[in-house]
Amino acid sequence: MVNPMSSKGPAQQEMESLLTAAFPDAKFVLNNDSASHHGHAGDDGSGESHFSLTIEWAGFAEMNRVARQRAVNKALGDLPGQRVHALAIKATAPGE
């Protein structure tokens, strides 16, 4: 199990790499919330089952909320829903 107080686990590192590649110049914070979901549905014991993402990117300015969520999910490929049980996304454009 990944200790949330130590280094980032492989799923978090992969998600951060994919987000950086898909959304150049974006500002984002990806939090591993798995510890607060220990023993709940979707907790696979890996320590990387639940995440929350706050991302600000200029490219989101022309997109509605659903399109932004879809863009993030597309960038992350099979991680959400397969290797990561839950991902809460707050996607904004600068100034919002």
Side-chain angles (χ1 to χ4, degrees):
M1 182 194 293
V2 175
N3 180 343
M5 299 306 289
S6 68
S7 64
K8 297 173 183 176
Q12 185 169 2
Q13 290 176 13
E14 185 176 352
M15 285 191 287
E16 289 179 348
S17 177
L18 291 167
L19 291 166
T20 299
F23 305 106
D25 302 318
K27 297 176 190 172
F28 68 86
V29 176
L30 181 64
N31 291 311
N32 183 341
D33 303 324
S34 301
S36 62
H37 295 275
H38 181 70
H40 298 165
D43 175 26
D44 62 4
S46 70
E48 291 193 288
S49 58
H50 293 74
F51 289 88
S52 58
L53 171 67
T54 302
I55 182 168
E56 179 184 283
W57 184 54
F60 289 145
E62 300 299 318
M63 297 181 189
N64 64 30
R65 185 183 60 82
V66 173
R68 294 172 184 186
Q69 301 260 329
R70 287 181 179 152
V72 169
N73 282 316
K74 181 178 179 181
L76 295 175
D78 73 340
L79 280 157
Q82 299 230 356
R83 294 165 43 204
V84 171
H85 175 71
L87 174 63
I89 302 168
K90 179 179 179 185
T92 60
E96 292 183 347

